[in-house]
DNA sequence: TTACATTTTTGTAATGATTACAAATTTATA
DNA sequence: TATAAATTTGTAATCATTACAAAAATGTAA
């Protein structure tokens, strides 16, 4: 994908093969992966891939503002290519993380009680609709 | 403090000395401590105190609903005695965590897009008012 | 009080995610 | 090609947290 390469070049990151594959995974799969879950998917395809490369690459992407990261229920870092601020829902049963389309502008104003707000994160926790159905049976 | 003891007894936790001291610290200091920061304060006063006891105790308190916990910027768990849902502000400079009095009822409704919402967490990130002043000099 | 069971606490070792670091490999450049 | 720079790898270290078994404290019955 040339779109992937462009994203990297535009941010001043040279588009190595590994970096492109990792970013491609993030762009195509909106599943809030961890470093380890990316590794489990990509390692079979790229036999020489090292987990350190994944950590390094993700850190670079975050610092350049290509992706964002957040702590999951288990203190493991999850990564997200989607950049519009959006709400995350954590399911306590299946541990999956859902994006909510919920429109959200409570913090449009960027200064609250004297603090300068640069970013925000809204996390909901509960039982997802799939797990609710399973319970019903 | 007898108030501390009552909190424990009401939740079915026997009020041992260590548990009371740890809960007292949480109730009196609204500073979102970590297990380690509690240890650094209490260990000098209670020479035999073990860090494992702190971890065990905090875990018990969370599971019994006496305190809540959340991941900080550095993936370390912070603990909070305050129970009304409230907004947290993380300062990127001084790493401190502030409670915001911001009234907040966007998620009063407990079912969103089919998911059952049991709890929520709003985290803001930026530069706190103290650090903003320091920058101004 | 003593003897025994239960609870609490301790200390050390294990775990698991992440990072540091130096060597090896690849890529770019002259 | 030769050399320098960038990238990747593999291993070891770090750090928060947990597991676990022994030690200490507490409760209870005789
Ligand atoms: Mn998302
Ligand atoms: Mn708080
Ligand atoms: Zn679920
Ligand atoms: Zn600050």
């Amino acid at each position: 994908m040339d779109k992937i390469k462009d994203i990297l070049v535009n941010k001043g990151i040279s588009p190595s093969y590994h970096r492109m594959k990792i970013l491609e995974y993030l762009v195509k799969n909106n599943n809030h992966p961890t470093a380890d879950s990316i590794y489990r998917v990509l390692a079979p395809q790229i036999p020489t891939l090292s987990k350190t490369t994944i950590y390094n690459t993700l850190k670079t992407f975050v610092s350049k503002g290509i992706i964002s990261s957040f702590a999951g229920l288990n203190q493991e870092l999850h990564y997200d290519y989607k950049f519009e601020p959006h709400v995350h829902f954590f399911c306590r049963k299946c541990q999956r993380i859902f994006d909510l389309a919920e429109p959200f502008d409570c913090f449009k104003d960027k200064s609250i009680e004297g603090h300068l707000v640069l970013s925000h994160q809204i996390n909901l926790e509960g039982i997802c609709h799939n797990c609710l159905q399973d319970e019903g049976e």
Side-chain angles (χ1 to χ4, degrees), chain A:
Chain A
M1 274 287 170
D2 263 357
K3 181 189 156 196
I4 303 296
K5 184 181 284 189
D6 288 349
I7 296 173
L8 291 174
V9 171
N10 286 339
K11 293 285 186 173
I13 301 169
S14 71
S16 74
Y17 180 69
H18 287 178
R19 296 209 261 243
M20 287 178 60
K21 293 305 275 185
I22 292 169
L23 182 54
E24 182 186 40
Y25 180 84
L26 285 157
V27 170
K28 290 194 176 167
N29 307 81
N30 265 48
N31 55 352
H32 310 97
T34 62
D36 191 66
S37 76
I38 296 173
Y39 181 75
R40 287 197 304 273
V41 173
L42 294 188
Q45 305 167 32
I46 310 169
T48 65
L49 181 64
S50 148
K51 201 180 265 191
T52 300
T53 296
I54 302 210
Y55 277 107
N56 289 340
T57 302
L58 291 170
K59 201 176 250 270
T60 301
F61 289 176
V62 170
S63 75
K64 297 283 185 173
I66 294 180
I67 62 178
S68 61
S69 71
F70 59 91
L73 287 181
N74 40 4
Q75 288 130 279
E76 212 174 345
L77 278 180
H78 293 257
Y79 298 88
D80 199 347
Y81 175 66
K82 201 175 197 182
F83 245 95
E84 316 85 74
H86 60 283
V87 175
H88 283 144
F89 178 89
F90 297 77
C91 178
R92 287 179 186 173
K93 279 277 170 65
C94 65
Q95 307 283 315
R96 268 183 298 184
I97 301 168
F98 298 83
D99 284 337
L100 297 190
E102 191 77 0
F104 193 71
D105 49 10
C106 297
F107 302 113
K108 223 185 327 205
D109 183 22
K110 288 301 187 192
S111 184
I112 300 180
E113 297 182 24
H115 308 300
L116 175 64
V117 179
L118 297 173
S119 70
H120 68 262
Q121 215 185 312
I122 289 80
N123 299 327
L124 310 186
E125 213 183 295
I127 315 289
C128 80
H129 65 296
N130 300 317
C131 290
L132 281 174
Q133 283 189 323
D134 294 353
E135 274 181 353
E137 258 124 57

